[in-house]
Structures are given as C-alpha cells and as structure tokens.
Amino acid sequence: MDFPNELRYSPDHEWIRVDGSIATIGITDFAQDALGDVVYVAPAEVGDAVAVGASVAEVESTKSVSEIYAPVSGTICERNELLDTQPELLNQQPYGDGWILKIEVANVADLDPLMSAESYQTLVM
Amino acid sequence: MPVAPLKLSPLDARHRSLGAKLTEFGGWDMPLQYSSVLDEHHACRSSAVMFDVSHLGTLRVHGAGAFAALQSTLSNDLERIAIGRAQYTHLLDADDGHVVDDIIVWWLDDEEFFVMPNASNTDRVAEALGISSPPSDAGATKVRSQDITAGRALIAVQGPAARSFVKLVHPALADVGRFRVASVIWNGHNLLVAGTGYTGEDGIEIHVPQEAAEALWDALSDVGIAPAGLGARDTLRLEAGLPLHGHDLGPGITPLHAGLQWVVGWNKTAFRGRDALLALKERGADRQLIGLTIEGRQPPRAESEIVVDGNVVGVVSSGNFSPILGHGIALAFVDRDVAERGGAIEYSISVRSKLLPARRVAFPFVAASPPR
C-alpha cells in the first residue's frame, strides 16, 4: 500500500494535501481497500461551511456506506464532479483523480494534529 | 460462551494464496472477493467465473423411504421431475408457512437424493425431514441421512462461457443440461454435476470429494476460469431477481409473499405448512415482493422504507448497485393494495432521510447472457 510522504493523514483514513489555504481531501489506499468497490460518492455542496469532524461526503461500496469527515474547518470550495459518473476512481487513484473535495481552510491550526505518512502507516499496517 | 471456530472450505488454502478477502458467512470463512466485486461481476456476465460454495450444506438422503420423506416434507412436487434432475424447493414452517429454508434437491438415483440447504440451516432441515443424525431406519420409513458437507467441496462455474471452459477440463462437464444432474468421473474421482446456479447465467455446480477439490479448482483455473467471491455472487443474484434467505425469504415470508407459487406442489396431499399456505392463498398475502429501480447510482439498502403518496407502504429486502445497469436496484415487500393497484405509481425509497424516486420493474432486472 502506498502512503505518499507529501500528504497529511487523519485517523479517519482521509488524506489531506495542503496548497496555500486550500486543503484537498480524499481517502487513503488503506480505506479504499477496506471499503471495496466504490459505486457512489455524494460530497457536500460547494459553499457549505464545515467544522472539524462534520460529515462532508458519503461513500458507498457494494458492501457498505461510509461517512467522510472534515479533517479541517472551513468552506467547501470544490467537489470532484468526475466522481458522479466514475466513483471507481476512489479505488483506482485514491491520491489522484479520486480526490473528493477541497476546503478553503479557516484555521491552519487544524492541520497540526494530522499525521505524517510514517505515523499513519504505523497506525494501519 | 466459547465462540465456535469458523468452518473452512477444502479450498481455503487456495483462497488465501490468491489473496482473497475473506468474510464470515453462515459460520464459514469464505471469500468475499479476490480482486474486485465489480470486475468479478462483469466477468461472470461476459465470460465465466468460479465460486467456492462449499458453505452450502449437503445432506445425503437415501433408502426406500427417501422419496416419501422429501415429498411429504418439502413444498415442491418431486413428481414434476425425475431421476437425474434437480429441483428448487422450500422447507416451510408447519404453523404459518414461512420459508424456513430454500433448498436445491438433486435426485441422483431411485432411493438417493442430495438435499442442499443454506449454510446455517443444514441441521434444521435434517431435523424437519425427521431423519436427523445419527442415522436411523426406525419403523417402516427406511430412510437415512448423512450430513456429507465436510467431505466435499462445491464449485459453481457460472457465465455464458462456462460450458466452453469446463469442456476443456472434461467434455462431460459441459453436457449436463439445465437442472440436470449427472455423475462424471474425472481423474479417477467421482464428481456429481448439476446444471444449476445462483447468478441468472448458464453454468454448472460440481460436487467434488474433498481430496480432489484443489486439483479440480486448479484445473478449472488452468483453462482460464477466474475465481469470484460471495460479493459478486450477491450482486449477480440480485440482478437476476433471485431471493436470498435471511433477506427476501425467512420469518413472516411465505412463497406466496415472495411470488414463488411455482415452488409449491399444490396437488400434493401433504407437505409441511400446507394448511397454513392454503388458508393464506384463500385470503391473499398481505405483502408482495416487487422489483424497484432508481435512476441514480446510490444503492438502496435492506430495511429502507418504501414510500407512496407520503405513506410507508413497504420495505427493501435486498438492494444494491447494479453493475450491469449502472444504477440502484432493489427487491422490496409492499402492501398488497399498492402492489395490485394499476397504473403508474410514484414510489420512493427512503435512504438516510433522503427520498429516492423509484420505478417498479419486473425482475429479473438483468436477463441471462446468450451462451457463447
């Protein structure tokens, strides 16, 4: 399994890529493998204000439904529309075209508790 | 209380070496998927796959009284078939006629049958047949039964190309017709083969002695048949509109509720649950199983409520994403007056406080592929 070094990780198995004030959110390789084939993704609406821990997307596989929680507070500024028709991208490219949404970060201190790739790998492997 | 260890298929080592994800099913540790449920599903609809279904039970019922014991207990009428054929049948509850288990019976010889219940129901079915272990031939019944589940594996090869593939392993495997049963000698091992399955596709199911199970699995693999797990088996059976015991059959659900009147031998003078079923036939079942589809991809899930005109009129019994159709499908029980109402009805499925518009359709949702 792959856990890119340049990303941050949450204990809920999300990855976070920080670029200026924008955090891109997706699910980790570990999470997509545990979920199995993803068939439906429903991200929250662009413009929604979210607090840390708020549900920002539902991800459904052939076997179960999972919630994705905001690892940072802020405002949702983009959702990945490719997922409307190709939710399998979460399995195929969890760190690439399978990203779920972007949040304009309100408080950069939210990023502090997030894990490094190394810590996350220790958690799940 | 000690937890019973999960039972392992004779093919367990193969599944582990293939890297399968395993799951508990009916007390067994079985493959959920090898690579991907969707890929395995599509491979079954377009080519052929093999499933390890060793978790199904096999009761060998034999003796002069075997026919009578089955005929007077199970719902379907064995007079409709003959030696060398298989039949889908039910064991019903004696009091209210609900489906205690759905079963395939293989009629092997004059006085010999294989009765194949769902994994967790094997003991219950043996008990209902009045021939529970240890074997007895008390009185004039002259019927014995053995639970031979542990001594064999059961491999289902399913898909439009199933026969083309199995022919390469042994031509006789491909010659077993739909709902026929035949004995085939392969590499000195006695296989029993039936033209049955649970995917809506053509195919065969092979009963193989435990000691030859891995060799047969390898031979099927060598001719190009990929393995598929119980995840794909479930999405395949749902597309085919086939009921799953514990979801679409079970307590409170008779064959009449599930639209399976054809599984009942109405002309028989006796079978378990007959009186209850006749009374129900007279007054009509209060709920009926229907098929629903939604436009979007979101999978309806079991226990989601069905809403018509703002009223809850039923509940989803099985639902998922249909890989072939590309949208959600569901089997659902709805009130009889709704099911029988003519004209267009606007259905909704309530999923986590969202109402998904749904349309009633006939099942199978997906028809079998032409053989190739």
Side-chain angles (χ1 to χ4, degrees):
Chain A
M1 273 182 197
D2 185 27
F3 303 107
N5 278 323
E6 67 273 21
L7 304 179
R8 309 291 292 275
Y9 297 85
S10 81
D12 296 320
H13 311 288
E14 289 117 12
W15 57 258
I16 299 92
R17 177 182 285 120
V18 182
D19 187 9
S21 62
I22 305 297
T24 303
I25 318 291
I27 64 169
T28 66
D29 201 9
F30 175 84
Q32 70 78 21
D33 183 68
L35 282 174
D37 294 70
V38 174
V39 295
Y40 175 75
V41 183
E45 297 299 320
V46 170
D48 283 3
V50 296
V52 173
S55 174
V56 290
E58 280 177 2
V59 175
E60 299 212 28
S61 70
T62 53
K63 58 179 181 186
S64 64
V65 55
S66 304
E67 305 261 10
I68 306 301
Y69 302 105
V72 293
S73 56
T75 306
I76 295 173
C77 56
E78 199 177 340
R79 59 196 286 278
N80 184 357
E81 289 176 3
L82 275 180
L83 300 179
D84 294 347
T85 51
Q86 296 170 265
E88 63 274 15
L89 288 169
L90 260 73
N91 297 112
Q92 294 163 355
Q93 302 176 46
Y95 305 111
D97 285 348
W99 64 275
I100 298 173
L101 45 78
K102 296 184 183 184
I103 296 177
E104 169 98 46
V105 181
N107 181 3
V108 288
D110 290 346
L111 297 166
D112 294 344
L114 296 173
M115 283 176 273
S116 66
E118 196 182 352
S119 310
Y120 179 71
Q121 186 151 5
T122 310
L123 178 76
V124 299
M125 301 308 281
Chain B
M1 200 172 82
V3 176
L6 292 179
K7 294 176 191 164
L8 301 181
S9 155
L11 295 164
D12 184 69
R14 286 293 181 273
H15 305 324
R16 285 172 201 272
S17 69
L18 285 163
K21 270 189 199 165
L22 300 171
T23 188
E24 189 276 335
F25 190 82
W28 291 69
D29 203 16
M30 298 299 289
L32 176 68
Q33 65 176 71
Y34 297 85
S35 56
S36 138
V37 170
L38 294 181
D39 291 352
E40 292 162 21
H41 183 109
H42 284 292
C44 181
R45 290 270 182 254
S46 63
S47 175
V49 293
M50 57 180 172
F51 301 90
D52 178 7
V53 291
S54 301
H55 60 289
L56 298 175
T58 301
L59 295 171
R60 178 173 175 258
V61 179
H62 57 114
F67 176 91
L70 299 179
Q71 182 73 340
S72 64
T73 306
L74 303 177
S75 67
N76 211 335
D77 190 350
L78 285 170
E79 299 280 8
R80 290 173 180 164
I81 63 164
I83 295 169
R85 293 186 185 238
Q87 184 177 63
Y88 177 72
T89 188
H90 287 167
L91 173 68
L92 304 180
D93 181 79
D95 296 327
D96 69 4
H98 82 255
V99 183
V100 175
D101 199 16
D102 63 335
I103 295 166
I104 292 278
V105 171
W106 294 4
W107 192 346
L108 299 171
D109 207 342
D110 253 349
E111 299 178 357
E112 181 171 18
F113 298 82
F114 279 3
V115 174
M116 301 160 70
N118 283 295
S120 51
N121 286 331
T122 308
D123 293 342
R124 228 180 296 179
V125 171
E127 195 185 308
L129 291 168
I131 45 180
S132 47
S133 302
S136 77
D137 55 355
T141 57
K142 296 268 174 20
V143 53
R144 290 166 178 269
S145 102
Q146 293 162 274
D147 183 345
I148 59 169
T149 308
R152 59 87 177 120
L154 196 62
I155 302 172
V157 185
Q158 302 279 299
R163 290 173 194 278
S164 322
F165 278 120
V166 298
K167 193 182 288 177
L168 305 173
V169 173
H170 193 314
L173 292 173
D175 295 337
V176 183
R178 289 286 289 160
F179 279 87
R180 303 279 172 153
V181 186
S183 158
V184 172
I185 308 291
W186 174 77
N187 279 359
H189 299 286
N190 191 16
L191 313 180
L192 289 162
V193 184
T196 50
Y198 191 51
T199 59
E201 297 295 336
D202 189 22
I204 59 169
E205 295 183 298
I206 310 170
H207 172 114
V208 52
Q210 183 176 29
E211 60 275 15
E214 289 189 334
L216 179 62
W217 178 268
D218 294 345
L220 293 166
S221 174
D222 288 347
V223 300
I225 305 172
L230 296 184
R233 193 165 182 262
D234 189 49
T235 50
L236 287 158
R237 71 91 195 167
L238 179 61
E239 280 187 345
L242 298 170
L244 172 63
H245 191 268
H247 286 262
D248 317 298
L249 299 173
I253 305 168
T254 69
L256 300 183
H257 293 96
L260 296 173
Q261 288 84 343
W262 62 271
V263 183
V264 182
W266 296 106
N267 295 330
K268 296 200 297 184
T269 52
F271 60 87
R272 229 171 75 131
R274 181 173 182 271
D275 292 347
L277 217 56
L278 280 172
L280 183 64
K281 193 184 181 193
E282 193 64 32
R283 65 177 191 272
D286 55 343
R287 293 179 303 153
Q288 192 183 321
L289 190 67
I290 65 167
L292 292 172
T293 73
I294 60 167
E295 270 187 28
R297 301 179 58 105
Q298 184 165 10
R301 302 288 185 186
E303 297 176 27
S304 296
E305 290 176 334
I306 309 297
V307 176
V308 170
D309 299 335
N311 301 312
V312 175
V313 299
V315 64
V316 171
S317 52
S318 288
N320 212 324
F321 172 75
S322 161
I324 296 294
L325 301 174
H327 55 68
I329 57 173
L331 294 174
F333 285 97
V334 296
D335 294 343
R336 178 170 60 172
D337 61 321
V338 173
E340 288 178 351
R341 201 193 300 170
I345 296 181
E346 287 180 17
Y347 289 89
S348 302
I349 303 178
S350 172
V351 182
R352 291 183 299 285
S353 74
K354 206 163 53 171
L355 283 179
L356 306 176
R359 196 165 50 85
R360 182 174 175 181
V361 294
F363 43 83
F365 299 98
V366 174
S369 320
R372 35 167 295 223

